[in-house]
Amino acid sequence: MTGSETSPLFRLAYVPGVTPAKWVRIWNERLPDIPLDLVAATAAEAPELLLSGGADAGFVRLPVDRTALSAIPLYTETTVVVVPKDHVVTAAEEVSVEDLADDIVLHPLDDTLDWERLPGQPAIERPATTGDAIELVAAGVGVLVVPQSLARLHHRRDLTYRPLSDAPQSRVALSWPEGETPDLVDDFIGIVRGRTVNSTRGRAGAAAQSQDKRSDAGGAGGSGRKSAGGGTGRSGGKPTGRTAGRAAGKPTGRTAGKGRGSGSGGAKGGKRGKPRGRS
């Protein structure tokens, strides 16, 4: 929990390309009394922001230092190449790294892909940011390889993109400082993982509810288990009344010879079952 005990606050970092709106909406519905502040950070800044206490949790791009940060991988992005709309690769639905062999492939300083060997021809200088690289692509200087969410983030009418096979991919994860997980972080983990509202809000209440269920099972439910093993009553191992007749394959009621057993129904059943002889 952050802030004072009377005014808790949850701070959520997110990197470019990640859209946290859906999870923020669910948070506001379930925890309306606890404000959620969004903190924008670059992919390089996000891990340090979490470690320094600038955010309680955050959407980051892997890899991160797992000795210092916990992380739940969420999804892997498609890698695309951003090109001018009249570029030759737009004729294909998907291209390979080899198709870029003759192109200048821009490599911005904030690149989020882990390349072993860069494709294409190197640029004279590395752009400072992905946004700067997009401007160079629009100017016809080269092409740019990025996760698809970044291509959408920097969309321009004069540019398009195509999926790129055989390229590194970027994975997005929810991360927070290693150690004991604070309650509010656990609440947000539950939202991201799709827990129901009952399991997300009120860990103590959920535990008490579970205990109540166990108590009920030991009381009224206990007799049910005993009957199932051969006790008495309808839930027991031996059926009674009409059920006994059906279970044994014997007709009951009006079609029975000695039909309904003992009691007032027995005499009536006997009269119908055996006609009296003449005296």
Side-chain angles (χ1 to χ4, degrees):
M1 182 180 293
T2 59
S4 67
E5 291 298 321
T6 56
S7 302
L9 174 69
F10 185 68
R11 293 166 297 174
L12 178 67
Y14 68 102
V15 297
V18 175
T19 306
K22 176 182 70 174
W23 297 300
V24 172
R25 175 181 55 79
I26 297 174
W27 175 280
N28 291 333
E29 291 173 353
R30 295 186 181 180
L31 300 165
D33 297 331
I34 302 176
L36 186 152
D37 278 0
L38 289 173
V39 183
T42 67
E45 294 170 346
E48 184 57 35
L49 184 67
L50 295 173
L51 292 173
S52 65
D56 301 291
F59 293 108
V60 302
R61 292 189 182 275
L62 298 177
V64 295
D65 182 1
R66 292 299 187 96
T67 63
L69 293 171
S70 297
I72 301 174
L74 300 177
Y75 57 89
T76 300
E77 288 203 65
T78 299
T79 301
V80 302
V81 56
V82 181
V83 297
K85 283 192 171 181
D86 59 355
H87 195 283
V88 64
V89 301
T90 59
E93 293 185 358
E94 181 178 277
V95 296
S96 68
V97 169
E98 293 180 357
D99 294 327
L100 306 180
D102 296 329
D103 285 286
I104 294 176
V105 179
L106 302 168
H107 188 212
L109 295 175
D110 63 354
D111 187 14
T112 61
L113 300 174
D114 186 17
W115 293 98
E116 291 185 5
R117 181 178 178 275
L118 288 169
Q121 304 298 317
I124 298 175
E125 294 182 0
R126 294 183 65 182
T129 67
T130 298
D132 293 337
I134 290 289
E135 295 295 330
L136 292 175
V137 174
V141 174
V143 301
L144 176 65
V145 178
V146 291
Q148 183 171 304
S149 65
L150 292 181
R152 290 174 173 172
L153 179 65
H154 297 283
H155 170 73
R156 289 177 52 123
R157 292 184 178 180
D158 53 348
L159 301 180
T160 188
Y161 60 82
R162 291 291 185 271
L164 183 66
S165 62
D166 305 323
Q169 294 178 309
S170 177
R171 292 189 299 159
V172 174
L174 177 64
S175 183
W176 65 96
E178 180 67 28
E180 184 177 354
T181 305
D183 286 350
L184 292 184
V185 174
D186 187 62
D187 285 334
F188 193 77
I189 291 171
I191 289 173
V192 172
R193 283 183 161 174
R195 292 180 199 160
T196 63
V197 63
N198 290 331
S199 60
T200 302
R201 300 189 63 181
R203 290 158 292 276
Q209 193 174 51
S210 177
Q211 180 62 38
D212 289 342
K213 289 181 180 179
R214 287 195 293 268
S215 299
D216 291 342
S223 60
R225 289 194 295 271
K226 182 177 180 181
S227 297
T232 61
R234 292 188 177 181
S235 59
K238 297 180 180 180
T240 62
R242 296 185 181 181
T243 308
R246 293 192 186 99
K250 298 178 181 180
T252 61
R254 297 183 179 181
T255 61
K258 293 184 179 180
R260 300 187 183 179
S262 60
S264 59
K268 189 175 182 180
K271 182 178 180 180
R272 291 179 178 268
K274 289 184 179 183
R276 292 181 296 172
R278 297 181 179 178
S279 56

